[in-house]
Structure formats: C-alpha cells, structure tokens
Amino acid sequence: MTDSVSPTPGDHPSAPSPAPDFTPAQRARGRALRRAQLPWALGGRLAGLALTLALGLTPAGAGLVSAVGGWFGGSWAAEVLGGAAALVLLGQLTQLPFGAGARSVRARFGLVTQGWAGWAVDALRGLALTLALALPVALGLYALTGRSPEHWWLPAAGAAALLTAALSFLYPLLVEPVFNRFTPMTPGPLRESLLGLAARDGVRVRDVLVADASRRTTALNAYVSGLGATRRIVAYDTLLSTADPREVELVVAHELGHVKHRDVLTGTVLGAVGAAVVVALLGLASGWDALLSAAGAADAADPRSLPLLAACAAVLGALSGPVQCAVSRRVETRADLHALELTEDAEQFVAMQRRLALTNVSDVDPPRVLELLFATHPSATRRIAAARTWQAGRAGAPDAPSGASSRPETVV
C-alpha cells in the first residue's frame, strides 16, 4: 500500500461528523455511563494524590513510618518495610470506595458479571502483588541510600530500568494468571485463521488462548501478550461468543499491529528509560533540604523520607499522564491502520468498532478535553472516520501494475 493511499498515523479528521453508525439512544447511553463513572474515577485520582501529598509533604508521613516501624521493633528494616506496607495499604483503602462506586455504575449498565465477593478477592490479589513488588523495592532502595545518601539514585536508576524490562517479560507468565484462567483455543477454523493471520503478518506467536473474562465482565477485548517465547494471542471468551469470526480477526489484526511495529518492545524500553528518569528526579528531590524538612526526614537515607519519595513519584505520574495518553492514542491509531492494511476490509473494521463500542457502552464521541487528558484510544467515531478515509483513499488510488502486489511483502 503506497503512502498516498494510506493516511498518516494520527491523521484523523479533526472533527468527524456524526455518521449514522450510532443512534441517538446509543450515543446517549455511552455518555450516561461516562458521566456516571467520571466522578468516581476523578475522585479516586484526586483522593489518592491528596493523601500521598499530605503524607509526603508534612511530618505526618514520617510519624506514620516511625509508628509502624515501632510496632515491629523499630529497626531500620522495620521502618522501611512497615512504612512501605502502610503507604500501600492506605493507598488501597483510599481507592476502595471509589472503585466500588465505579463498579456499581458499570453493573447498572450491564457490564459486570462478578459478585462483590469475587471483586473483593481480586482486590486482595492486587494488594498482595503490589506488596510483593513494593516491599523488596523499598528495601533495596534504602539499602542504596544508606551506602550513598547523595548518589544512591545512580545505581537505583539502572536497577529501576532493569526491573521494568523484567516485569514486562514476566507479566504474562506471573501476573495475568493470577486474575484470569487461560485455556488453549479449541482447534478449528477460527484458530487456524488467527494463526494464519499472524503468519501472513510475519509475527510468530506461541499459541492462541482464551481468557475467562466473562467471570467479571461482558466487555469485549483481545490482545497479543508477551515478548519472544512468551508471545501469544489472547481473546476474551466474551468476544468469541459475541462477535463474528471476521470481527475477531479484525481485533487480532489490530493487536498484531502492535507487535509488528514493536510497540511492546518500544513501550518496555521507554518505560525503562522513564523509570530511570523518575528515580533520578527523586534523587534530586531527596537532596532538597526544604522538602526533607517539610517531610520530617533527616536525609535520603532516613526511612521517614519514604512518603516524600512516594509523593514526588505521584506528582510526576500525574503530570506525565496526558503525555502518555497522547502517545498511546497515536500508537493505537497506527495499529488500526495496520489492521486495515492487513485485512483490506474497512467495512468489517467499522462493524467491529461499532460492536466494541456498543457492547462496552463506550462514549463514542467524548468531550475533547477528556479525550486529551485521559483517553488511551481514539474515540469510536474518530476510528470509524479514519477507516472510511482510508477506504476512500484506496478506492481512488490507481490500480497496481499487473503482477504487482497491492501492499509490500512482509519482512520477517
């Protein structure tokens, strides 16, 4: 496919006109869900940030670390591990009512199939995983600060980058199975078509798995997970039971686009670099006497500085959020284009986008400010408009020379 035929990734119409793809009632339903969820989502973010800042920029956090550490003997290790655990627990408890509120909203719209007991178990699993990661990280961090209170962030930045890369590789093996059961897709035409799609795209996958998402939700999704030997296509059982096989292929073609353009690898590298930069900035913050004084900590090696570091990390995360969303939307746009070029089926792509939007009760055309701040994917109307722009460009392109392929060969 020549460049003159395909729009540049991210080249959406700036203001797509409402197409007859969604009825007024369908649009209203998506807006209603978004408006009902927004207070809970924003409230949870603001409450979590406010708590973190209150503990990190006042002596309250230092007092919490000292008190919890004292319950376990008052040693240096007790303060580090106890303080880290207390921060994680308080953060989770703060988010709990907001998460429950958002879940109740989604349940009213028919998107939740899991009971409250199952939801609580998942929350406990998430807490356990967070503690399993946070406690060793905190212990290693303060071991480094103890050895070099001024330059600890140099080795810590390298360790953060390596840890980020390792977690990206291990996530499908260690974390995903905690929340879902995965079974190989039953041999048949759909499995063969998905494997054939990946082969035609030059993407090696280990297997095609089905996730039991219906235990929690009616939402539809699929993804390609893992790197190298761990890579597999994963489809929600809700998608397989609801969508037409061709629509499933379009969803998977989009996900293969992420692999083809090395989005997972690039994301891992950028995440590793970002983690190193964050640690370096935390090193600067921990050397600022005014911040340490406000937090009630003596220096960076003092475990009572832990809430301060958490507060600084939270601020950096909040500030970088819109930038990460913008990058994500561009990446998703490129994957959409890849799906169109791989399948050459714009009409079925539009049908797939409609099904995803309606089943997931998406706001198909949200306010632009919300999209810029929080959306990781373009809206459904923008994706559909882009597909039709691609289709129109392809229809208007001159025919390829006799014997020539309509798109370049895939290079493995």
Side-chain angles (χ1 to χ4, degrees):
M1 199 72 64
T2 61
D3 290 340
S4 61
V5 175
S6 303
T8 303
D11 187 21
H12 289 321
S14 59
S17 59
D21 297 293
F22 304 99
T23 67
Q26 291 166 345
R27 289 174 175 271
R29 180 172 167 79
R31 283 195 301 270
L33 175 59
R34 185 253 301 165
R35 288 169 177 167
Q37 284 192 119
L38 190 60
W40 295 108
L42 288 180
R45 292 190 184 204
L46 292 175
L49 183 59
L51 173 68
T52 304
L53 292 177
L55 292 176
L57 301 181
T58 71
L64 176 68
V65 171
S66 296
V68 175
W71 298 343
F72 298 97
S75 66
W76 170 86
E79 287 194 341
V80 172
L81 295 176
L87 290 176
V88 170
L89 286 170
L90 282 175
Q92 295 276 358
L93 287 174
T94 301
Q95 295 297 318
L96 205 60
F98 295 97
R103 180 194 180 279
S104 296
V105 170
R106 294 178 65 80
R108 291 204 308 270
F109 281 79
L111 290 170
V112 175
T113 59
Q114 183 184 45
W116 283 105
W119 178 80
V121 170
D122 278 349
L124 290 174
R125 288 171 176 165
L127 174 62
L129 284 172
T130 303
L131 288 172
L133 177 63
L135 297 187
V137 167
L139 200 61
L141 179 68
Y142 278 91
L144 290 174
T145 58
R147 293 175 62 89
S148 178
E150 293 183 356
H151 303 292
W152 62 269
W153 56 272
L154 286 170
L162 291 175
L163 180 61
T164 300
L167 288 176
S168 180
F169 183 81
L170 295 174
Y171 187 87
L173 301 177
L174 301 180
V175 178
E176 287 180 357
V178 173
F179 296 97
N180 286 102
R181 288 192 293 270
F182 298 89
T183 56
M185 181 178 285
T186 303
L190 180 57
R191 183 179 187 277
E192 293 305 314
S193 69
L194 296 181
L195 289 174
L197 192 68
R200 191 164 77 246
D201 206 18
V203 175
R204 293 188 179 91
V205 295
R206 182 179 181 182
D207 203 353
V208 182
L209 304 180
V210 180
D212 60 341
S214 58
R215 291 193 301 120
R216 296 183 178 85
T217 181
T218 60
L220 311 181
N221 197 13
Y223 56 94
V224 177
S225 177
L227 293 169
T230 69
R231 185 181 297 138
R232 65 265 185 97
I233 296 171
V234 180
Y236 279 17
D237 56 357
T238 51
L239 178 68
L240 300 179
S241 63
T242 303
D244 295 334
R246 186 58 172 166
E247 293 174 356
V248 177
E249 290 182 21
L250 262 296
V251 176
V252 171
H254 168 96
E255 299 303 326
L256 289 172
H258 290 308
V259 179
K260 193 68 176 179
H261 292 286
R262 297 181 175 85
D263 292 337
V264 175
L265 178 60
T266 301
T268 298
V269 172
L270 290 177
V273 172
V277 170
V278 167
V279 170
L281 292 175
L282 293 181
L284 293 176
S286 67
W288 192 356
D289 290 338
L291 282 179
L292 289 169
S293 177
D299 54 30
D302 185 350
R304 293 177 298 174
S305 68
L306 203 155
L308 172 62
L309 296 183
C312 293
V315 170
L316 291 173
L319 293 176
S320 65
V323 176
Q324 294 180 48
C325 287
V327 172
S328 177
R329 287 193 301 272
R330 187 172 181 82
V331 167
E332 296 298 334
T333 298
R334 185 173 62 185
D336 280 351
L337 176 59
H338 181 87
L340 289 166
E341 293 182 335
L342 179 61
T343 63
E344 298 184 334
D345 195 343
E347 288 304 319
Q348 203 64 47
F349 179 92
V350 170
M352 176 266 290
Q353 290 296 334
R354 286 192 72 256
R355 186 183 296 277
L356 290 176
L358 295 177
T359 304
N360 297 342
V361 196
S362 302
D363 185 354
V364 299
D365 198 10
R368 188 60 174 156
V369 64
L370 293 181
E371 194 172 17
L372 291 174
L373 289 176
F374 304 118
T376 57
H377 291 64
S379 67
T381 53
R382 291 181 182 276
R383 300 175 86 168
I384 289 173
R388 290 195 168 125
T389 299
W390 177 88
Q391 185 180 35
R394 182 172 181 270
D399 293 335
S402 177
S405 171
S406 62
R407 60 173 175 250
E409 293 183 5
T410 298
V411 179
V412 181

